[in-house]
Amino acid sequence: MIGLTTIQGILLAVCVVGGVGLIIGIVLGIAGKVFAIEVNEKELEVREALPGNNCGGCGYPGCDGYAKAIVDGEAGVAQCPVGGAPVAKRVGEIMGIEADIVKKVAVVHCNGDCDKTNNKYNYFGNESCTDTTAIPGGGAKACEFGCLGMGSCVKVCEFDAIHIENGVAVVDRDKCKACGMCEKVCPKKLITIERFDAQYFVKCNNHLRGKAVMDECEVGCIGCSLCEKTCNFDAITMIDNLALIDQNKCKKCGLCAQKCPRKTIEKV
């Protein structure tokens, strides 16, 4: 039989354990209230409306960061390239403002594929544009400004929207979400994010001039300035021997593309 002393010992142990548990529970409850982080309900609503890709295309570190920036008034409601118009509309409704939606797309400023430009040597190494630019001449292609075709942009695209075709990166406009990852990874700075409704682009990034360009590529800009002189809307400017189109001024007349002797300006 269990003695009285043993029973008393068990009861004492139960009381001690129960008392300690009660004290810990009270302390944790008080600490939870004292150190509680206030959660903005609207921020949670916005975060829930975002797609959750955390691609960084909005310019913020993930969807959480973007949601906070929206609620804090630091970001617009239409900066999520993945969610597009539907998400922008929903976030606008949450914030009580109208979304200014401008669809965008990535554009590769190079048409120098394997048929239009030459190689200086045969490259054998890592399939990485960044690694390739580190070797003499900035890559095997004759044009040191052109697409290397190693597919670094393809590897970072989460939407299967860019592929290497005949040595040059090509964007699938229907799949592209304009997240900007390809733009960030391109060591040649050939990719830009543009308005989807823009039609004419200079598909070249070569800053040489005349014969130097002709020796490297069949479709490179030679800096002749004919497009600039032809444009009636002051939408084209020659900067460092390369034509640049101001899409805010461009009226999509197409005269620049017609006049370009190298067919460097292309309608998409």
Side-chain angles (χ1 to χ4, degrees):
M1 295 182 62
I2 300 176
L4 180 60
T5 304
T6 304
I7 295 174
Q8 289 176 338
I10 294 173
L11 291 175
L12 179 61
V14 171
C15 291
V16 171
V17 172
V20 171
L22 179 62
I23 293 171
I24 292 175
I26 293 172
V27 171
L28 289 176
I30 295 172
K33 291 182 178 180
V34 172
F35 299 105
I37 299 174
E38 188 175 345
V39 178
N40 189 316
E41 294 296 331
K42 189 166 285 190
E43 184 179 323
L44 291 177
E45 284 189 70
V46 172
R47 177 61 185 87
E48 193 173 325
L50 297 175
N53 289 73
N54 294 310
C55 64
C58 58
Y60 292 88
C63 295
D64 288 338
Y66 179 42
K68 186 177 186 306
I70 291 174
V71 175
D72 290 345
E74 299 174 358
V77 299
Q79 291 178 214
C80 176
V82 179
V87 167
K89 182 180 179 181
R90 173 60 186 140
V91 175
E93 291 172 351
I94 294 171
M95 297 301 299
I97 59 177
E98 187 174 347
D100 183 17
I101 304 166
V102 178
K103 186 176 181 181
K104 295 186 177 181
V105 67
V107 175
V108 180
H109 296 273
C110 179
N111 265 345
D113 60 27
C114 296
D115 297 328
K116 300 183 182 73
T117 188
N118 301 316
N119 286 338
K120 294 174 285 190
Y121 49 79
N122 292 323
Y123 171 76
F124 299 98
N126 292 336
E127 293 291 311
S128 164
C129 298
T130 304
D131 291 347
T132 305
T133 56
I135 62 179
K141 276 195 174 178
C143 175
E144 63 180 282
F145 302 93
C147 178
L148 295 166
M150 293 293 164
S152 291
C153 53
V154 177
K155 293 167 187 165
V156 299
C157 181
E158 297 182 13
F159 311 101
D160 191 36
I162 190 165
H163 300 93
I164 303 300
E165 297 181 8
N166 199 21
V168 171
V170 177
V171 175
D172 185 329
R173 291 170 62 86
D174 294 326
K175 290 183 178 180
C176 180
K177 303 298 183 182
C179 68
M181 293 303 292
C182 56
E183 179 184 28
K184 292 175 184 177
V185 79
C186 178
K188 298 288 187 177
K189 305 304 178 186
L190 289 169
I191 305 174
T192 58
I193 305 300
E194 307 285 352
R195 296 176 62 99
F196 191 87
D197 58 1
Q199 292 186 6
Y200 291 92
F201 294 97
V202 178
K203 302 302 289 290
C204 181
N205 191 47
N206 196 318
H207 293 278
L208 299 179
R209 186 178 174 86
K211 187 176 184 302
V213 179
M214 294 181 186
D215 290 342
E216 295 179 351
C217 180
E218 295 179 10
V219 291
C221 176
I222 58 175
C224 67
S225 300
L226 277 176
C227 54
E228 183 182 31
K229 296 171 184 174
T230 301
C231 183
N232 296 317
F233 309 103
D234 193 31
I236 300 181
T237 307
M238 297 299 300
I239 299 179
D240 194 16
N241 300 321
L242 181 66
L244 298 175
I245 299 177
D246 185 338
Q247 298 298 344
N248 293 320
K249 293 182 179 180
C250 179
K251 303 301 181 183
K252 308 179 183 68
C253 67
L255 286 176
C256 56
Q258 295 175 25
K259 284 290 184 178
C260 179
R262 304 279 289 172
K263 303 306 176 186
T264 307
I265 300 177
E266 181 182 274
K267 183 179 181 180
V268 297

